[in-house]
Amino acid sequence: MTGFLPQGILTVALLTSSLAFTSPASSTAPQATNRDAQTLADFQARVKTYLALRQKLLTGRPTLPDKATPDQIEAYQRTLGDLIIAARKGTRKGDLFGGDMTVLVRRLLGPIFKGPDGAAIRNAILEEPQPLVPTINTRYPDDVPVSSMPPEILKALPKLEEILEFRFVGRHLILMDVPAHLIVDIVDNAMPS
């Protein structure tokens, strides 16, 4: 009789555990995680394509000197920006982020802005009102300050190559090519109202 008891308990445990793994609530979470992972992978692939184009445009061109003057830096930015703009002619908003990534960004950032520190984070980003409505494939205006990016926001977003940065312009999240001082793509209203 005692030989059957552990086996019976084992059978019940196996049945219970298999039910736990097939319940609708638990099967939804891995699907969302897999979808998010695929969304991030697709975004990173588009970023790599952008970086490859950028590298191709730089091939054979002079680089900035180690101790470049402000005039040399601006000339370099403008030349690089013009090259990228010409190569990406016809690019539309969202081409780099993609629809799924735009939704994911809003979903990741929403709880941060609505959380207990949300007002402070929003104020850190929106120190000065910015009348700028960002447009892709344009130079970030020299007279508009670049927003600060709180660590909570940066932790929620995917890591980028050093030459690219996430920044806010008003409530819109932009992807900026720093050496070109160029707005590469935009997520409209990434910061909830």
Side-chain angles (χ1 to χ4, degrees):
M1 190 71 116
T2 57
F4 292 133
L5 187 57
Q7 224 175 2
I9 292 173
L10 178 62
T11 303
V12 171
L14 287 173
L15 286 173
T16 306
S17 65
S18 68
L19 289 174
F21 286 119
T22 58
S23 72
S26 65
S27 65
T28 307
Q31 288 175 354
T33 302
N34 290 340
R35 194 171 343 146
D36 291 351
Q38 186 60 53
T39 296
L40 290 169
D42 292 346
F43 170 68
Q44 292 294 0
R46 290 187 296 273
V47 167
K48 283 183 183 178
T49 300
Y50 170 80
L51 293 172
L53 167 70
R54 190 182 183 284
Q55 186 58 42
K56 183 179 174 186
L57 295 171
L58 286 173
T59 303
R61 299 212 169 261
T63 60
L64 268 175
D66 288 338
K67 296 181 180 182
T69 66
D71 289 341
Q72 288 172 315
I73 293 169
E74 184 174 350
Y76 178 83
Q77 282 179 348
R78 289 186 182 278
T79 300
L80 178 57
D82 290 345
L83 288 170
I84 295 170
I85 289 168
R88 296 182 74 223
K89 187 174 183 171
T91 301
R92 295 181 318 239
K93 183 177 8 179
D95 282 355
L96 197 69
F97 275 114
D100 288 347
M101 186 63 184
T102 297
V103 171
L104 181 59
V105 164
R106 289 183 186 130
R107 185 164 47 86
L108 292 172
L109 298 184
I112 295 170
F113 287 113
K114 292 176 183 175
D117 297 327
I121 292 169
R122 183 184 303 268
N123 290 338
I125 293 169
L126 298 174
E127 288 176 13
E128 295 181 35
Q130 296 171 342
L132 173 68
V133 175
T135 305
I136 67 158
N137 236 15
T138 59
R139 181 173 169 81
Y140 189 95
D142 295 323
D143 57 343
V144 176
V146 177
S147 67
S148 62
M149 290 297 286
E152 298 88 346
I153 300 293
L154 294 176
K155 282 184 209 170
L157 297 171
K159 301 272 185 257
L160 295 171
E161 294 288 328
E162 202 171 285
I163 61 171
L164 296 173
E165 291 181 353
F166 292 113
R167 295 290 177 170
F168 275 94
V169 175
R171 293 179 43 224
H172 312 293
L173 182 73
I174 66 168
L175 182 61
M176 187 165 124
D177 183 318
V178 177
H181 210 64
L182 188 71
I183 299 172
V184 178
D185 208 352
I186 303 163
V187 173
D188 285 331
N189 302 317
M191 182 188 300
S193 57

